[in-house]
Amino acid sequence: MSVESQRVAVIGAGTMGNGIAHVFAQSGHEVSLVDVNAAALERALSTIDRNLDRLVAKEKISAEDKAATLARLKTSTEMHGAVSDANLVVEAATERLDLKLKIFEQIDASAPADAILATNTSSISITRIAAATGRADKVIGMHFMNPVPIMKLVEVIRGYDTSDSTTSKVVELSRQLGKIPVEVNDYPGFVANRILMPMINEAICSLHEGVAGVAEIDEVMKLGMAHPMGPLHLADFIGLDVCLSILRVLHDGFGQPKYAPCPLLVNMVTAGKLGVKSGEGFYVHTKGSKDITVAPAFS
Ligand code: NAD
């Protein structure tokens, strides 16, 4: 597989899927972006359009580059057609094991036998996902960071049976996208979320116990630890439902109470306060604006 021009199917057009489709299309690959929800596809296209406009305005790409990128991008609500001629599939659907197992069974049945099947999962076992297919050697974790067009890291996760050849292709492809791949092994949360999520959970517990308010907790971590964004703001950005799913994977995978999700996080997700994607989490977020205010529940 030459990394120059792949046919890539991206499954899931939410927070991550639109960014993944964007970087592949901008790097010269033909992309089919698939979602079961047509409205998510429309939102994804308008986000990509807006993000490309920003790059044009900053003179990082030309208007022609933008048009060529969009011309390489198709959308569909039907997975079979999109993956049947793909040489790479990157799954970025909702972080739920049952859903991912079902999607990988379907992709395995539809994609060419030599296609690599990657997942952008934040925490779910690559080995477990690979076992739902008949090609465990070609299944790998390709964990992009949010926002995908900006963040450099791709955590490349080898499952138990992932081959050297699959790993080296994905590493090479990540570099061609302008990213920096880092190889890690398949344990709950991998490296990024094994370290990040307990910090976010501890910030939520600190809020829950009244140690400090939302803005104060974030300010301490920004000023004191030189983090560009406080942990509660970051949680809103990631999606509180995604944070909760990852903590549950860590808790189940290691069986240690230190990973138990804070009850406040569970309540917020149950109430539909998911952060940026729902408009409210620890902060209130207004579409199209970077300004945030602390949510009424915490002010
Ligand atoms: P999201 O909730 O924003 O989007 C998920 C999308 O998947 C939705 O649009 C949904 O309609 C779609 N979907 C659900 N079932 C589907 C199916 N059967 N076929 C096609 N599409 C389907 O979620 P997200 O934040 O983009 O997360 C996607 C994946 O990326 C998850 O595995 C998550 O853990 C991982 N991830 C998230 C972040 C983050 O910061 N949000 C960072 C790195 C990795």
Side-chain angles (χ1 to χ4, degrees), residues 11-17 34-37 40 92-95 99-100 103 120-122 143-144 146 238 242 277:
I11 313 300
T15 310
M16 296 303 286
V34 180
D35 203 293
V36 283
N37 178 354
T94 313
E95 183 79 343
L99 177 70
K100 294 206 190 271
I103 290 176
N120 185 52
T121 180
S122 301
H143 184 206
F144 290 88
N146 182 15
I238 293 169
V242 176
K277 70 174 111 173

